[in-house]
Amino acid sequence: MILTRGARITGAVLCTLLAVIVAGWLVRDVEAVEEPADLVRYWAGYYDVRLSAVPTTSANDVALLVVYVVAAFAALRSSVAATALVATGVVTLAMRLPGLWSIGESAMSARFADDLRTRALICAFAALAAGLALVITAGAGRRPPRDFSERTPTRPGPGASATAFLLLGASGAVVIAWEIRQVVRFPDIFPEWYVGGERLFQGLIDPPPGWGDAVIALLCLFTAVSALSRAVHARPFGLIAVGLLLTGGVTGVSRAVHYKMLDHFGDLPIEDQLTVVTWFFEAAVAVVVLIVLARRGSADAPDRPHQGHGQGYGPPPGVFGPPPPSQPPPGW
């Protein structure tokens, strides 16, 4: 199934709206701080950065901006436009839903002005409405291809599917393992780590840290299972998952380099060593999976009348010699 022209245009407009919302908050933060480079350090998680104003965004918002821009172009041109819109809508709903209750908490009132929180709440409702509209548009705007000239949705190739299954499955398991460790080590932060609270610090428009990590873990596991069956939606969901995974990995590696953790890696406690290894693992996984899933997959072959020489094996009658050389699988 492919999208109608009207659905493509509607999806692109909705993705553009979401991109404008995120870009507006990013511009606000750039203008609010005295040095934009310090904002990047803040996004990377540097503990010693000092800002003149509290940012409302995080590094994940930069990743989401890229997702929305790419999804807008995919809606107009890609053969997997429908699943790309669904994936974008689902991720938007998951990442913006906590804003409905966290923006109004007293901890936010102490850090952000009332007018800023009001704008953030309006944007949260707008983002959720746009995310839901993306899912509805993708579902209602599908139609069968008219002829063989129209590009049909593609699936990841066998090699890409196996790579995504192994690496994203492992990444999802690693994120979940760290979340379990977080709750076991600091039980007093539960459930605020996942739903927000007075003792938790987060960006005004962002979900609580545990909630965001849970979304990434579920995306990785869902994509891994989808890739195993070579589902059409594996590529869009996988690309969004690795975008968020890459953000966490790169910011973690940046912290490790900034605080010279690699220079004294052998002297670090075992848990800190595992943390650094996890950052590098997430960054490497994201790059590899991004490469294999970004390549165009293979389309389903159209049904054609069977032409052959009957039952049995071997070459057709009258054809002698060795069989033709095998070809690499499509999409790999």
Side-chain angles (χ1 to χ4, degrees), residues 10-327:
T10 302
V13 170
L14 291 171
C15 290
T16 303
L17 172 62
L18 289 168
V20 169
I21 292 175
V22 177
W25 287 105
L26 294 175
V27 171
R28 179 268 170 194
D29 284 351
V30 170
E31 294 178 345
V33 301
E34 295 179 354
E35 181 59 47
D38 288 338
L39 180 61
V40 177
R41 298 186 185 97
Y42 170 83
W43 286 336
Y46 291 6
Y47 311 121
D48 53 355
V49 65
R50 297 293 182 267
L51 300 175
S52 56
V54 181
T56 61
T57 59
S58 69
N60 281 336
D61 294 301
V62 180
L64 287 175
L65 176 61
V66 175
V67 167
Y68 294 144
V69 172
V70 173
F73 283 100
L76 296 175
R77 302 182 60 87
S78 176
S79 62
V80 293
T83 52
L85 294 183
V86 170
T88 304
V90 169
V91 171
T92 299
L93 292 172
M95 296 296 283
R96 299 310 185 198
L97 182 61
L100 297 184
W101 62 80
S102 64
I103 293 174
E105 292 179 347
S106 57
M108 293 293 188
S109 302
R111 294 194 294 267
F112 301 102
D114 289 343
D115 62 333
L116 201 61
R117 291 187 296 113
T118 300
R119 286 163 49 193
L121 190 59
I122 293 174
C123 288
F125 276 108
L128 290 172
L132 182 60
L134 282 174
V135 177
I136 295 175
T137 299
R142 295 184 303 170
R143 65 169 176 82
R146 297 189 181 95
D147 51 48
F148 291 117
S149 65
E150 292 187 316
R151 292 190 303 170
T152 56
T154 58
R155 305 175 184 273
S161 297
T163 302
F165 169 72
L166 293 175
L167 295 183
L168 287 181
S171 298
V174 168
V175 174
I176 291 176
W178 277 115
E179 288 303 303
I180 295 174
R181 173 58 179 166
Q182 186 81 359
V183 174
V184 171
R185 187 178 180 183
F186 305 105
D188 55 318
I189 68 171
F190 184 83
E192 287 88 351
W193 180 252
Y194 294 98
V195 298
E198 301 297 325
R199 296 173 294 176
L200 207 62
F201 188 88
Q202 65 188 76
L204 179 61
I205 67 172
D206 292 311
W211 182 289
D213 290 343
V215 170
I216 294 174
L218 291 176
L219 277 175
C220 289
L221 295 178
F222 175 75
T223 303
V225 175
S226 302
L228 187 63
S229 60
R230 297 187 62 197
V232 172
H233 59 261
R235 292 179 64 214
F237 274 97
L239 291 174
I240 295 177
V242 298
L244 296 174
L245 197 67
L246 181 63
T247 301
V250 169
T251 55
V253 170
S254 176
R255 288 195 298 273
V257 173
H258 176 73
Y259 293 108
K260 299 181 179 180
M261 301 175 72
L262 300 178
D263 298 340
H264 309 284
F265 185 80
D267 300 328
L268 296 175
I270 183 63
E271 187 161 332
D272 291 344
Q273 291 179 345
L274 291 175
T275 300
V276 174
V277 171
T278 299
W279 291 335
F280 277 92
F281 174 73
E282 289 179 347
V285 165
V287 170
V288 173
V289 178
L290 181 64
I291 292 173
V292 299
L293 289 185
R295 301 180 63 182
R296 179 174 172 80
S298 56
D300 294 334
D303 294 332
R304 296 177 179 177
H306 176 69
Q307 295 179 355
H309 60 281
Q311 301 294 327
Y313 300 92
V319 178
F320 301 93
S326 61
Q327 300 295 324

